[in-house]
Amino acid sequence: MTAPDFAPPIFPELLDSTMIQSFRECPQQFFLAHCRGLRTDGEGGSPDLHFGGCFARAMEVTRLAYFTHGRNANEALAEGIIALTRSWGTYEPREGHRKTYERCVDAFAGYFEQWPLEADPLIPIRYHADTIEYSFAHPLPILHPVSGAPLLYGGRFDMLGTINDEVYIVDEKTTSMGFGTSWAEQWQLRNQFLGYTWAVRRDGVPRAKVLVRGVGIHPTNTAYTQALASYPEHLLDRWIRALLNTVQQMCKCWKLMADEGPEAWPRVFGSPCYAYNRQCAYAPMCLAREPEDYASMYVVHHWSPIPAVVPPSVEPQPTQAVQ
């Protein structure tokens, strides 16, 4: 890892829904997390992210084994558990956190009791690896403020699948929350899923819906549910306009940084400072008279939803114009 005191900020070449949401909630948070790459707990991430990542890896390996490599259901599940275990590694969540390795294995096994591989009507759109952990990266009509190349909007989701010839963008969500009416309603205007729908339309799939499968890690049991969402053309038009407006604001902050430094990225002093029952990871820097005094609390790790896309590490220059 690069020492935080000497790590120059970068502007990502590829933006995803997480980055967009981060900037909209607090531009300073976006700058610290995605331009400087500051992380409080290294590459392992939070218990929630680690749990979800290991679960997703197990699902990917299982589906590839069954649908692509011709394994039977038991063999595919065994390969999935091996993959989960390897992904989990030696990670230990904080004491009392329910998202443990044991609960992850239990949730994974329970998923295929709820939706058995051999009986689930949901199958990949093609028995091919590129529809399982489906990735995309599409150019935007805005240029990167450093390289001058078109910025990319990208991401990945669990599967592009079909049920009775209807196409679905499939995303599994592990959660500690309960499954009430609000759980399904939250996807109706979800930036993440609007972006997925826009992307697969760019890839030539015009009528894909979204199928969200929920895996609830509750105190005494694991629950499962699913919800459907679809996004008409007028919503996608509004989404892309909002996205481009946000990206332009990002580029403007980067340009201003040449003269104003990190203060070019505003702080919101609002609800993102304390969300999900915990303080923002960057609160110590925002509270300090000299934020850099607290930089040693963090490690530097730049993450991309598509690992091959690595942005250049270049200092901003006053002459770099936003296109």
Side-chain angles (χ1 to χ4, degrees):
M1 296 289 183
T2 307
D5 292 332
F6 303 103
I10 62 174
F11 194 99
E13 287 190 347
L14 183 145
L15 300 167
D16 74 342
S17 63
T18 298
M19 297 179 190
I20 296 298
Q21 193 63 31
S22 174
F23 181 85
R24 288 171 176 169
E25 290 180 354
C26 178
Q28 180 70 201
Q29 179 194 80
F30 168 83
F31 170 69
L32 295 173
H34 301 291
C35 295
R36 292 193 64 179
L38 300 186
R39 297 287 187 268
T40 54
D41 38 12
E43 295 185 46
S46 71
D48 295 325
L49 292 177
H50 188 80
F51 187 101
C54 293
F55 185 90
R57 176 59 179 160
M59 295 294 294
E60 175 189 11
V61 169
T62 300
R63 284 170 169 153
L64 286 173
Y66 185 77
F67 291 110
T68 304
H69 304 311
R71 308 285 196 269
N72 66 40
N74 288 335
E75 291 169 339
L77 291 173
E79 290 190 23
I81 290 175
I82 291 170
L84 188 158
T85 302
R86 288 175 176 167
S87 295
W88 194 275
T90 59
Y91 182 84
E92 289 292 337
R94 61 183 177 271
E95 186 176 354
H97 201 288
R98 73 181 71 150
K99 288 189 175 178
T100 62
Y101 166 76
E102 291 78 13
R103 291 296 304 271
C104 196
V105 172
D106 177 71
F108 168 75
Y111 181 99
F112 289 105
E113 292 176 5
Q114 179 77 18
W115 296 292
L117 275 168
E118 58 270 55
D120 192 349
L122 175 66
I123 60 174
I125 195 169
R126 296 188 301 274
Y127 286 2
H128 193 275
D130 63 359
T131 62
I132 298 170
E133 283 295 314
Y134 188 99
S135 297
F136 62 89
H138 291 296
L140 299 174
I142 299 173
L143 302 183
H144 191 281
V146 177
S147 71
L151 281 163
L152 302 175
Y153 185 80
R156 60 189 303 177
F157 53 85
D158 295 318
M159 185 169 71
L160 188 62
T162 62
I163 299 176
N164 299 326
D165 297 325
E166 288 197 321
V167 180
Y168 291 91
I169 295 162
V170 182
D171 205 56
E172 276 98 21
K173 296 289 187 185
T174 58
T175 178
S176 299
M177 306 300 289
F179 293 135
T181 305
S182 61
W183 188 84
E185 289 177 345
Q186 68 181 304
W187 315 124
Q188 292 178 358
L189 292 169
R190 184 78 164 194
N191 172 58
Q192 177 187 19
F193 295 152
L194 281 156
Y196 291 167
T197 305
W198 172 83
V200 298
R201 290 192 180 191
R202 295 285 296 269
D203 288 337
V205 184
R207 288 179 293 277
K209 300 177 182 178
V210 173
L211 173 63
V212 191
R213 283 186 167 174
V215 181
I217 313 302
H218 302 153
T220 59
N221 72 305
T222 303
Y224 302 88
T225 191
Q226 62 183 19
L228 296 176
S230 60
Y231 303 102
E233 200 68 35
H234 71 272
L235 274 185
L236 295 175
D237 289 343
R238 292 170 184 170
W239 175 84
I240 190 63
R241 284 198 298 269
L243 173 72
L244 296 179
N245 180 269
T246 299
V247 175
Q248 287 284 15
Q249 292 177 50
M250 290 176 169
C251 293
K252 181 179 179 180
C253 288
W254 181 270
K255 180 182 178 182
L256 290 173
M257 190 170 60
D259 299 317
E260 299 180 16
E263 297 303 311
W265 304 85
R267 297 173 177 84
V268 297
F269 298 108
S271 56
C273 301
Y274 195 93
Y276 304 106
N277 296 316
R278 61 178 179 265
Q279 193 176 53
C280 172
Y282 307 106
M285 296 186 74
C286 290
L287 288 165
R289 181 182 295 273
E290 298 295 338
E292 289 305 307
D293 291 346
Y294 287 82
S296 60
M297 293 177 55
Y298 306 89
V299 295
V300 176
H301 174 62
H302 288 284
W303 175 86
S304 172
I306 302 176
V309 179
V310 180
S313 180
V314 181
E315 293 279 12
Q317 301 296 325
T319 56
Q320 293 165 351
V322 177
Q323 299 297 317

